[in-house]
Amino acid sequence: MFKKILIANRGEIALRIIRTCKEMGIKSVAVYSTADADSLHVKFADEAVCIGPPASKDSYLKISNIMSAAEITNADAIHPGYGFLSENAKFSKICQEHNIKFIGATAEMISRMGDKASARATMEEAGIPCVPGSEGLLDTFEDAEKLANSMGYPVMLKATAGGGGKGMRAIWKKENLRKGWDDARQESKAAFDNDAMYLEKLIVEPRHIEIQIIGDAYGKACHLSERDCSVQRRHQKLTEETPSPFMTTKLRKAMGESAVKAAEYIKYEGAGTVEFLVDNKRNFYFMEMNTRIQVEHPITEQVIDFDLIREQILVAAGVPISGKNYFPKLHSIECRINAEDPYNNFRPSPGRIVTLHAPGGHGVRLDTHVYAGYSIPPNYDSMIAKLITTAQTREEAINKMKRALDEFVIEGVKTTIPFHRQLMDNPDYVSGNYTTKFMEDFIMKPEA
Ligand code: MV4
């Protein structure tokens, strides 16, 4: 087993990983930028190393500084968390070359899944359902036009380097294909320095349902059921739940088996997520694979009673998995609490937290690095806490979430607490009748 893990991240996820390290008797090393000197992850780790100034590119993304921190503290593994370097092939490779175990995917796996057209081609080969579309990349606009005409509109143009919705265009009629093609390529070129495109049939008002998987070093994988992440705004998830209100036993079995088949086909090692689009007839299609622990992992932990960070560490150390799949026994919902003003277009609201009262009680979990007196730096993303409720049924989990949100007091900055409180009373949310289009139609009621 590892003796010392360096956590190449910040915020709640750094703290989350440190907690599991403590429980496993593994020493932890925090790294931090000068903007994060007062963060809890720095205080709770056994050691802490400053790795640079506030800008991510000079600290949490600076590979040389992180490797130096790992070498001076003698860490034998690095956990990258999510975001930052978690899906950086170069970083994974450098760790391997320095004999420091990267608790994440190999460079090859990250590259293969990070390129969306190559991920799609791999899944097609593995026999996983994919949205009908191009075989690999499109060489020319004329190829796109020919394929779109033969498949029929609407279609979705996608950049192979895409992410966060960048380089993606829904095209409803052929007159708009040219402009969509030019715009999507230009956007992708600017964001990723890559303008290679592929094309799919457009799935109208899909649900985003993802399957958590874990694979071991011996080629065996299992799934841990689904999370419904359809409540998103501009490709940012706001709340997630498991089980999905749209799920059936039959669909869960089919999606779970597909995700395991995908993972075993590529000999995936570690925790990963296979994202699917699900249409209104419950057809499911491979969308993307994430080769990291995800923000919303706690809801899965809650319903199957399983520490995913611990499992990541165990499989990275070469421990085999049991091989059985896991099915939800409870219902769990996560609300992402962001320092943003939901009454003003979710505008970021960094600043000092003057008052904080955390909710508690049965079935309430709060993953956060903030406390009263803490200043939220403007340099990073605005998520400051994840509030998770777990109960026997969806209705009870919603009622518990309402109660927990009502108890939660944060003063000094605006937060998304009022949004979540309204969401929990929204008839379409409460009935489970929501798709990825839900937030386009959601309007905040005025402040009371
Ligand atoms: C799609 C789609 C409809 N049809 N592909 C959005 C993120 C990107 N990685 C893939 N995305 C989508 N791909 C086809 N063929 C709709 C989306 C999509 C979406 C997906 C999941 C969650 C929220 C979304 C919001 C808008 C569009």
Side-chain angles (χ1 to χ4, degrees):
M1 186 42 62
F2 307 116
K3 290 190 174 64
K4 196 187 270 187
I5 297 178
L6 180 142
I7 297 104
N9 214 301
R10 62 181 299 281
E12 65 83 21
I13 193 65
L15 194 52
R16 166 75 191 82
I17 298 161
I18 291 166
R19 285 175 168 153
T20 289
C21 287
K22 285 201 172 149
E23 291 169 11
M24 296 177 78
I26 299 168
K27 294 274 183 235
S28 55
V29 181
V31 294
Y32 63 98
S33 73
T34 52
D36 277 339
D38 297 328
S39 187
L40 281 190
H41 79 283
V42 177
K43 298 184 211 287
F44 282 24
D46 293 302
E47 292 170 75
V49 182
C50 183
I51 51 163
S56 298
K57 67 170 190 355
D58 301 317
S59 50
Y60 298 106
L61 290 172
K62 186 117 180 149
I63 295 177
S64 55
N65 292 11
I66 293 168
M67 293 312 294
S68 301
E71 299 207 322
I72 59 169
T73 56
N74 224 353
D76 50 6
I78 293 182
H79 196 307
Y82 53 69
F84 295 122
L85 296 170
S86 61
E87 289 171 292
N88 184 302
K90 185 173 153 202
F91 184 55
S92 176
K93 188 154 191 285
I94 289 172
C95 289
Q96 191 183 19
E97 286 165 354
H98 285 74
N99 270 319
I100 294 173
K101 181 69 184 180
F102 180 73
I103 305 176
T106 59
E108 296 68 39
M109 200 67 75
I110 292 172
S111 303
R112 195 169 179 191
M113 292 300 129
D115 181 280
K116 302 294 159 19
S118 119
R120 181 182 145 88
T122 303
M123 293 306 161
E124 193 89 68
E125 228 176 83
I128 311 306
C130 293
V131 186
S134 57
E135 222 177 280
L137 297 173
L138 295 160
D139 290 324
T140 63
F141 172 74
E142 286 66 35
D143 290 345
E145 201 172 31
K146 244 184 260 164
L147 183 62
N149 283 338
S150 76
M151 286 197 317
Y153 287 81
V155 297
M156 185 75 113
L157 274 171
K158 291 184 174 182
T160 194
K166 278 216 180 83
M168 194 175 78
R169 289 291 183 284
I171 315 286
W172 287 81
K173 45 182 202 261
K174 64 168 178 264
E175 302 83 83
N176 297 346
L177 188 65
R178 179 83 236 187
K179 182 165 165 42
W181 169 265
D182 291 339
D183 289 354
R185 285 184 67 195
Q186 199 184 349
E187 192 172 288
S188 184
K189 183 79 191 165
F192 313 110
D193 195 31
N194 175 341
D195 60 6
M197 305 293 296
Y198 65 105
L199 185 135
E200 293 178 346
K201 186 88 186 150
L202 179 80
I203 308 299
V204 178
E205 294 186 37
R207 285 171 171 81
H208 170 147
I209 302 180
E210 58 189 31
I211 304 286
Q212 176 73 54
I213 57 105
I214 191 152
D216 68 17
Y218 313 96
K220 183 79 200 152
C222 70
H223 75 75
L224 296 84
S225 293
E226 81 279 7
R227 293 184 288 260
D228 195 319
C229 307
S230 301
V231 181
Q232 307 201 356
R233 185 182 173 276
R234 300 187 185 165
H235 302 287
Q236 294 293 325
K237 294 170 187 169
L238 295 167
T239 177
E240 309 90 358
E241 67 177 312
T242 183
S244 165
F246 196 62
M247 193 51 73
T248 63
T249 304
K250 192 175 140 208
L251 180 61
R252 179 177 295 114
K253 188 161 180 286
M255 289 179 71
E257 281 171 8
S258 278
V260 170
K261 190 169 157 190
E264 291 190 345
Y265 184 79
I266 60 177
K267 296 195 166 43
Y268 189 79
E269 190 187 320
T273 302
V274 185
E275 297 185 347
F276 293 99
L277 293 171
V278 180
D279 72 15
N280 57 3
K281 297 193 179 91
R282 292 195 173 79
N283 297 304
F284 65 90
Y285 308 94
F286 170 79
M287 178 164 57
E288 282 173 25
M289 179 163 182
N290 300 321
T291 57
R292 59 168 191 274
I293 193 74
Q294 288 193 265
V295 174
E296 60 271 25
H297 77 276
I299 59 173
T300 299
E301 299 188 319
Q302 294 306 117
V303 300
I304 63 175
D305 199 14
F306 196 102
D307 178 337
L308 274 164
I309 303 292
R310 177 186 159 87
E311 295 308 312
Q312 280 191 299
I313 293 170
L314 290 175
V315 301
V319 177
I321 59 168
S322 80
K324 70 177 175 84
N325 297 319
Y326 292 80
F327 295 91
K329 295 176 232 164
L330 298 169
H331 198 101
S332 190
I333 302 173
E334 169 178 279
C335 290
R336 298 189 185 194
I337 311 301
N338 294 346
E340 294 171 357
D341 182 358
Y343 295 105
N344 276 298
N345 229 354
F346 292 81
R347 182 199 306 154
S349 175
R352 186 167 177 270
I353 296 174
V354 179
T355 313
L356 185 137
H357 180 268
H362 180 243
V364 176
R365 169 174 171 180
L366 186 67
D367 280 20
T368 186
H369 61 292
V370 310
Y371 49 88
Y374 176 81
S375 284
I376 302 159
N379 315 81
Y380 313 106
D381 84 22
S382 60
M383 194 179 73
I384 54 169
K386 304 190 302 203
L387 177 58
I388 300 126
T389 62
T390 308
Q392 296 275 339
T393 66
R394 184 169 190 269
E395 189 186 356
E396 286 173 72
I398 290 174
N399 287 335
K400 206 179 270 291
M401 185 61 81
K402 289 187 196 176
R403 187 273 286 173
L405 288 164
D406 286 341
E407 282 181 17
F408 207 167
V409 179
I410 299 179
E411 286 172 340
V413 299
K414 304 272 196 231
T415 77
T416 51
I417 291 171
F419 160 73
H420 291 293
R421 188 62 189 81
Q422 291 192 18
L423 179 69
M424 293 298 134
D425 276 331
N426 179 283
D428 286 330
Y429 181 79
V430 170
S431 66
N433 177 30
Y434 63 83
T435 71
T436 52
K437 194 172 177 288
F438 178 81
M439 285 306 294
E440 289 176 33
D441 307 322
F442 186 91
I443 302 162
M444 283 292 285
K445 294 194 180 73
E447 217 162 339

